[in-house]
Amino acid sequence: MTARLKPPLATRLAERAGRVLEFLWSGWAGLAALFLLAAVWQAGHEAYGPFILTSPQATVAAVWQLAGDSSAWAVAGLTLQRALTGFVLVGGIGVSLGLVAGYSPATMRLAQPLITVLMGVPPIAWIVLAMIWFGGSDATVRTVILVSALPVVFLGAAQGIATRDRGLDRMAQAFGAGPLRRFLTVGLRQTTTTLFPALVLALGTAFKVAVMAELLANAGGIGGALADARINLDIATALAWVLIAVVLLIAVEYTLVHPVKGEIDRWRRAAQPWGVKR
Amino acid sequence: MNVLALHSVEHAYLGRSVLKGIELSVGTSEIVALVGPSGCGKSTLAQVAAGLLEPKSGRIERQYRRHAMIFQDPSLLPWATAAGNIAFGLRLARLPRRQRAARVAEAAALAELEPGDLGKYPVELSGGMRQRVAIARALAVRPDFIYFDEPFTALDVALRRRMQDLVIATCADAGLAGLFITHDLHEAARIAHRVAVLDTYGAGVLGDRPLPGRPGSRSEAQVQDWVGAALSRDPLFRHIHDVDERQIA
Ligand SMILES: Nc1ncnc2c1ncn2[C@@H]1O[C@H](COP(=O)(O)OP(=O)(O)OP(=O)(O)O)[C@@H](O)[C@H]1O
Ligand SMILES: [Mg+2]
C-alpha cells in the first residue's frame, strides 16, 4: 500500500478546478439579481427623468468614459488604497485584541462596555474628530475605518475563541501541545466561523466609510469626486462613482476574502447535501 | 514494575474536593480497568494521571515513554481529513512530513480503516469510523501507554464489541499498558487484566480484582460468569451501578 496523506497532484488540481467552475456557475444567480436591480433602476429613471436618476445605460457609459481617463484611475486607486490599508489595520488590531479577550474573560468583561460605547458613537463624529487631528489625509480615512469596523472584528474574533470546542483543546493537550501550539493548531482555526463574516462586514464598512470620510474631509479619492459631481449637479458621474466603489468592493471581496474562506471551509462543503452546493 | 503509579493523589475543582487518597498502579503491559458510578471522578483521575490537570497534592510516577488518550467523543478536528486527524499527534511531535504518511497508513491499517476513507472529513464518517480514527490517531504516535476515557459508551452494542476487539488486538495483544475507564463491568472484564473500583465520592480506590487469563483469550461465557459473580457476590462492586446525579450538586 502506498503511503500518502494527500491524493496525487492531478486529482487535487482537478478538484480545485471543479470548485472554481462551481463557483463561477453560482455567479449566474448573482448576475440575475444584478439585472433585476438594473430593471428597477431603469423603471425609476423612466418615472422621474434623467435629472433625478440617470438610466443604467448612461451610468455605465459614464463609467466607461471614466475608465478611459487615467486621472480617474488614480482617484479610484487612492480610495482603494485607503480602504485596504484601513481594513488591514482594523483586521490586525481587531483580531489581536479579540483573541486576547476570547481567552481572558476578564478582558472581555472590560472590553464589552467599551465596544458598546464605540458602536454608539456615529461614524460622522469620528470623521469630524479625525479631520481636526489629521486634516484631509490618509490617516483621517484610516482612523475612521478603524473605529467604525473595530467592534465587529473584535467581537468576531473574541466569539470565535470563546465558543471554541474545549474538547479539542483537551485532546491537543493530551497529545502534548502547550498553550501556544494549542492556540495555533486548534484555537485559531475555530475562530474562522465567526471571524470571516465579521471580516466581510468590516471590508464593506471600510469602503463605505472611506468614501464618506473623503467626501466630508475633502480628501480626494472617490469621495472627493462625488463632492465635485454634486457641485456640478452631475448625476451620471455621481452614480458612476458609486458604481465604481461597489465594483471595487466586490472585486476585493471575491479576489481576497472568498478564496481564502473557500480554502478554509472546505470541510464544511463536505457536510452539505449535493443539491445545496449548486 | 509499574509504568504508572499514583500515591495519595488529591484533586479539587475550585475548592470542591473530587478525588482523595487515590492509590493506583499499572504494571508493564498491563491494562487496568477503572470502574465506578457516574460522576465519581474517573475522568478527573485519568486527566490527573496523564498530567492534563495538576493534582492538589500527591505524587504521580510515570515510567512510560509516551502516552496517548482516547476520549468519549472522538474529538476530531472537523476541518481535517481522517488522515489529517490521524497525523495530528505526529505533527505535534514534529515528525517530518515524509515519515508521517507512512505512520498514518500503518495506524489506519491497525484500526481497520479503509484507505479510501482517509481522505474524508469527519462529517462524512459514521460514528464507528470516527472512533476508529481516534484510535488510529492514538496508535500513530506509537505510545506505550494509552488512557481510555469511556471511549465506546456512545456506540451501540455490536459496534462496541468490535471496538473492544480492536483494542484487545492493538493494545492488550501488542503489550501496551493502559488505563481503561468505563462504567460497564462487562467491557472491563473483556479488555482488562485487572479491574479497580473507584469510590462513589472519589475518596480512594476501594480495591481491585484480577481477571482470569489474558484479555483476548476469555470466552463470552467466562466473561458473563465473572461479571455475574462479581455483581452478586463481591461487595467491592456493590455500588458501581448507583446512579445519583444529585450528588453532583
Ligand atoms: N471542569 C470542572 N469543573 C468543576 N467541576 C468539575 C469539572 N469536571 C468535573 N467536575 C466535577 O467533578 C466530579 C467528577 O467528574 P468526572 O467527570 O471526573 O466524573 P466521571 O466519573 O468521569 O463521570 P462519568 O462517568 O459521568 O463520565 C463531578 O461531580 C463533576 O461535577
Ligand atoms: Mg467521565
Side-chain angles (χ1 to χ4, degrees):
Chain A
M1 174 182 159
T2 49
R4 273 185 204 281
L5 279 188
K6 289 186 171 160
L9 184 69
T11 328
R12 270 187 291 156
L13 282 179
E15 273 172 16
R16 182 141 315 167
R19 279 205 302 279
V20 169
L21 282 179
E22 243 172 56
F23 177 70
L24 290 179
W25 178 246
S26 73
W28 284 115
L31 224 53
L34 287 182
F35 278 114
L36 201 65
L37 179 69
V40 174
W41 183 350
Q42 179 72 30
H45 161 71
E46 280 167 22
Y48 295 103
F51 290 109
I52 303 295
L53 198 62
T54 37
S55 72
Q57 244 175 327
T59 310
V60 171
V63 171
W64 190 246
Q65 206 183 348
L66 286 172
D69 180 359
S70 67
S71 65
W73 282 91
V75 167
L78 184 61
T79 301
L80 182 67
Q81 175 265 100
R82 285 167 171 168
L84 282 184
T85 47
F87 173 68
V88 169
L89 195 68
V90 73
I93 296 179
V95 170
S96 2
L97 290 179
L99 291 179
V100 172
Y103 276 109
S104 140
T107 314
M108 190 67 195
R109 271 196 289 277
L110 271 179
Q112 200 81 58
L114 295 180
I115 291 292
T116 312
V117 170
L118 216 55
M119 289 212 278
V121 179
I124 197 92
W126 291 112
I127 294 176
V128 172
L129 286 177
M131 268 170 67
I132 296 171
W133 293 333
F134 305 111
S137 68
D138 287 4
T140 306
V141 181
R142 288 189 198 128
T143 309
V144 181
I145 292 174
L146 177 64
V147 286
S148 319
L150 191 65
V152 61
V153 177
F154 173 86
L155 288 179
Q159 281 299 320
I161 289 291
T163 59
R164 74 192 186 279
D165 180 356
R166 314 252 160 176
L168 292 183
D169 270 352
R170 188 191 49 179
M171 184 276 296
Q173 197 187 358
F175 279 96
L180 182 64
R181 302 206 77 196
R182 281 212 293 283
F183 166 67
L184 292 176
T185 52
V186 301
L188 199 55
R189 190 60 195 258
Q190 290 181 73
T191 61
T192 53
T193 325
T194 50
L195 187 56
F196 264 110
L199 285 179
V200 171
L201 219 57
L203 187 65
T205 308
F207 273 87
K208 279 184 281 192
V209 168
V211 171
M212 189 163 70
E214 282 171 348
L215 192 150
L216 292 168
N218 197 16
I222 292 180
L226 274 175
D228 292 344
R230 189 195 56 173
I231 291 164
N232 301 329
L233 290 178
D234 185 349
I235 304 275
T237 311
L239 281 176
W241 279 116
V242 172
L243 207 58
I244 289 170
V246 171
V247 166
L248 282 182
L249 171 61
I250 291 176
V252 170
E253 199 175 308
Y254 279 85
T255 54
L256 196 78
V257 181
H258 282 281
V260 176
K261 185 171 153 59
E263 264 324 286
I264 285 182
D265 274 357
R266 204 140 27 119
W267 66 276
R268 246 183 256 280
R269 297 175 51 76
Q272 285 171 347
W274 194 83
V276 178
K277 289 178 189 167
R278 260 127 263 254
Chain B
M1 203 191 83
N2 288 334
V3 285
L4 175 75
L6 279 71
H7 300 293
S8 53
V9 165
E10 199 180 337
H11 185 75
Y13 283 114
L14 304 169
R16 196 170 66 83
S17 172
V18 176
L19 295 173
K20 249 198 314 273
I22 303 292
E23 301 282 340
L24 183 71
S25 63
V26 179
T28 317
S29 300
E30 185 187 32
I31 296 196
V32 173
L34 183 72
V35 298
S38 189
C40 70
K42 303 184 295 294
S43 299
T44 310
L45 192 150
Q47 291 181 34
V48 169
L52 304 190
L53 291 173
E54 198 59 38
K56 195 173 139 198
S57 65
R59 201 155 45 85
I60 300 164
E61 285 167 34
R62 303 185 189 95
Q63 303 289 342
Y64 54 77
R65 267 184 311 110
R66 197 182 169 91
H67 71 228
M69 211 159 182
I70 301 173
F71 302 93
Q72 177 161 358
D73 63 310
S75 294
L76 301 180
L77 309 176
W79 57 82
T81 58
N85 270 291
I86 297 172
F88 182 71
L90 304 173
R91 197 149 64 92
L92 287 178
R94 294 204 167 81
L95 194 77
R97 220 169 248 277
R98 257 169 233 291
Q99 295 168 37
R100 257 188 250 163
R103 291 275 283 272
V104 166
E106 174 194 296
L110 280 177
E112 293 167 18
L113 280 163
E114 306 272 321
D117 290 333
L118 291 183
K120 291 184 181 166
Y121 291 98
V123 283
E124 299 173 281
L125 298 173
S126 72
M129 288 202 281
R130 280 181 220 165
Q131 203 51 273
R132 278 178 200 277
V133 172
I135 294 173
R137 176 177 60 193
L139 293 174
V141 298
R142 291 195 184 146
D144 50 350
F145 195 100
I146 302 192
Y147 292 95
F148 299 86
D149 188 0
E150 308 195 36
F152 309 138
T153 315
L155 305 179
D156 69 63
V157 182
L159 198 53
R160 198 185 310 177
R161 280 189 62 96
R162 288 187 52 187
M163 293 294 154
Q164 289 164 0
D165 291 338
L166 190 61
V167 167
I168 292 169
T170 54
C171 302
D173 291 352
L176 267 67
L179 184 64
F180 196 105
I181 287 169
T182 175
H183 53 232
D184 178 0
L185 203 53
H186 189 265
E187 182 169 71
R190 291 197 73 206
I191 286 181
H193 295 87
R194 183 156 61 94
V195 183
V197 181
L198 187 61
D199 174 66
T200 310
Y201 302 98
V205 174
L206 297 175
D208 59 3
R209 297 284 181 269
L211 283 154
R214 289 188 319 102
S217 67
R218 293 169 202 137
S219 70
E220 192 50 32
Q222 276 176 306
V223 169
Q224 286 290 3
D225 287 350
W226 187 89
V227 172
L231 285 177
S232 60
R233 286 194 289 276
D234 195 334
L236 185 61
F237 297 100
R238 190 172 298 150
H239 294 291
I240 73 156
H241 287 313
D242 286 2
V243 176
D244 182 11
E245 283 91 359
R246 280 165 304 172
Q247 134 208 352
I248 287 162

